[in-house]
Amino acid sequence: MIQLEVIDRILYQVHPLERRNAKESHCLTCVSTLAQTNASPFLFHVTDRDILAEHLADKRSENTRRAYARDVKDFFVTVANQEPTPTLIGQFLSLERAAAISLVLKYKAILIERNLSEATVNRRLSALKSLVAFAQKVDRCQWSLEQVESEKVQSYRDTSGISLEAYRKLLSVPNRNTLAGRRNYAILRLLWENALRRNEISQTNVGDLDIEARTLQIFGKGKGTQAESISLSTATTEAIVDWVLARDPVPAPNAPLFVALDRAHYGHRLSGNAIYNLVVETATSAGITKHLSPHRCRHSAITAALNATNGNVREVQKLSRHARLETLMIYDDNRANAQGKVTNLLADLL
């Protein structure tokens, strides 16, 4: 049974000068009545249609489904002290608009009190907004959460990554006489030359590699099941082939292109987290002090490409595969450091 006092605390324990408009007073009366009758705080009886499961099934990415499920769970555990069920979610979606928005705003305040980052707060609110929007589409909810504003976040604050010289150090670490070294070297080249995301590398199969054409089929971010072909350099193609041929037995076309080599997971697809750990460990061995991750490798590659092309953002967009050119403009502005140049000009005037 939902803890009524938890709902009551979140919805109604606000400063005396701020509390209660007429609708909140009405809702408090409803909750008090429900407490006496041992009923649900979510006011209305609904069928047990699993709206959350239907919503998650509408998402192609397994990572997205997992993240949304986790964030929706946090909301219900926080406000109702129990994990979401079809009945509980249905009751939430049946709340009156004012009560629902008030509840979500109190949840947002709790997230901020936990000192969570703006990005984390926004992600959790986004998962909830997405659930409500889906429920509206299937006529299971009559209101939206558009009035619940997200926190302001400055995206791509640091896009510098590491220098070309530092990345050369990184590439010198893997021992290419070993199986792990061949695998790691090929992955590091893909992160640099093609600015791939770790999950894009993780999801590739042996059959996605076309040696003769020097291309690799990848499933880009937000592309669903639509594969796109990227061109590889001769050196990276040779590094991947060197790794594949060293595996025993030589893998079939439908086998993962990159696999784990530790005892517990030997032969299983190399996960995005494993690629992350691979980069961190290699950076430590290379003596790189700046925190490095696969995405910072991507930053490094994109910044180097902008330097090499004298800021040709349209050309570099073919490498980065950003949907919006404005995102690349942030990289270019950070690279050029216009603010630093103007600051120096002002300093020279003194």
Side-chain angles (χ1 to χ4, degrees):
M1 178 58 63
I2 300 170
Q3 299 295 314
L4 293 173
E5 63 272 16
V6 176
I7 300 292
D8 186 54
R9 171 176 55 80
I10 292 173
L11 274 173
Y12 304 110
Q13 284 189 0
V14 294
H15 194 279
L17 294 177
E18 298 175 357
R19 77 173 69 168
R20 298 179 175 134
N21 59 30
K23 288 184 179 179
E24 285 180 331
S25 296
H26 173 70
C27 289
L28 181 56
T29 302
C30 290
V31 171
S32 299
T33 302
L34 285 164
Q36 295 172 7
T37 60
N38 201 31
S40 166
F42 285 142
L43 306 190
F44 300 108
H45 173 73
V46 293
T47 62
D48 285 350
R49 180 173 176 178
D50 198 338
I51 296 296
L52 178 58
E54 293 178 30
H55 175 48
L56 296 179
D58 194 46
K59 306 296 179 184
R60 286 190 177 274
S61 169
E62 176 60 33
N63 291 332
T64 300
R65 290 195 293 269
R66 186 163 49 244
Y68 272 37
R70 182 175 59 246
D71 290 337
V72 170
K73 173 183 174 181
D74 182 77
F75 169 74
F76 283 99
V77 168
T78 300
V79 304
N81 201 29
Q82 63 174 286
E83 296 189 8
T85 64
T87 299
L88 185 64
I89 292 172
Q91 291 164 351
F92 166 66
L93 295 172
S94 296
L95 283 171
E96 291 184 0
R97 174 179 169 277
I101 291 177
S102 179
L103 183 62
V104 174
L105 287 174
K106 297 305 176 186
Y107 172 65
K108 178 184 175 182
I110 291 172
L111 296 180
I112 294 172
E113 288 175 6
R114 292 178 188 169
N115 292 321
L116 298 178
S117 70
E118 292 86 349
T120 300
V121 171
N122 289 347
R123 193 196 70 230
R124 294 189 178 174
L125 291 176
S126 177
L128 202 55
K129 289 178 180 181
S130 182
L131 173 67
V132 170
F134 178 82
Q136 277 189 303
K137 289 180 183 179
V138 297
D139 200 26
R140 290 288 171 167
C141 183
Q142 304 304 315
W143 41 263
S144 74
L145 294 176
E146 292 178 2
Q147 288 184 302
V148 179
E149 296 181 353
S150 299
E151 295 287 280
K152 292 184 179 180
V153 178
Q154 182 182 354
S155 301
Y156 296 95
R157 287 169 292 181
D158 180 8
T159 59
S160 59
I162 59 174
S163 66
L164 173 60
E165 292 72 22
Y167 210 90
R168 284 175 177 155
K169 282 185 180 179
L170 200 70
L171 282 173
S172 70
V173 171
N175 180 357
R176 297 170 64 190
N177 292 320
T178 68
L179 193 57
R182 291 175 181 178
R183 180 199 64 185
N184 296 356
Y185 180 76
I187 289 173
L188 291 172
R189 289 201 73 105
L190 283 171
L191 289 170
W192 172 263
E193 293 182 16
N194 294 92
L196 294 186
R197 302 173 178 90
R198 55 177 170 168
N199 284 332
E200 292 171 341
I201 295 176
S202 173
Q203 292 170 4
T204 55
N205 290 337
V206 173
D208 295 328
L209 175 67
D210 187 328
I211 300 173
E212 185 176 347
R214 295 205 310 274
T215 61
L216 183 67
Q217 296 282 334
I218 65 167
F219 295 93
K221 181 181 179 181
K223 302 294 185 180
T225 60
Q226 302 174 64
E228 55 184 314
S229 179
I230 60 171
S231 298
L232 304 177
S233 71
T234 300
T236 295
T237 303
E238 291 174 350
I240 296 174
V241 170
D242 188 38
W243 146 248
V244 171
L245 294 180
R247 290 161 66 177
D248 186 20
V250 175
N254 62 347
L257 183 56
F258 295 102
V259 297
L261 298 175
D262 60 285
R263 285 186 178 181
H265 306 95
Y266 193 92
H268 292 182
R269 186 180 297 276
L270 196 66
S271 68
N273 286 340
I275 294 174
Y276 178 92
N277 293 334
L278 180 160
V279 170
V280 171
E281 292 167 6
T282 306
T284 301
S285 298
I288 296 171
T289 55
K290 184 173 185 177
H291 176 70
L292 196 61
S293 66
H295 212 70
R296 279 195 184 273
C297 291
R298 176 174 162 82
H299 288 333
S300 306
I302 294 170
T303 301
L306 287 167
N307 286 332
T309 61
N310 196 27
N312 189 333
V313 290
R314 292 197 176 276
E315 194 169 282
V316 176
Q317 188 181 25
K318 302 299 182 183
L319 171 79
S320 69
R321 294 164 290 110
H322 282 115
R324 297 170 61 250
L325 194 63
E326 290 82 356
T327 302
L328 264 181
M329 292 302 298
I330 297 173
Y331 278 83
D332 198 43
D333 289 345
N334 289 348
R335 174 189 70 92
N337 190 20
Q339 175 266 310
K341 290 178 181 178
V342 175
T343 294
N344 288 332
L345 287 173
L346 291 174
D348 292 340
L349 294 176
L350 295 176

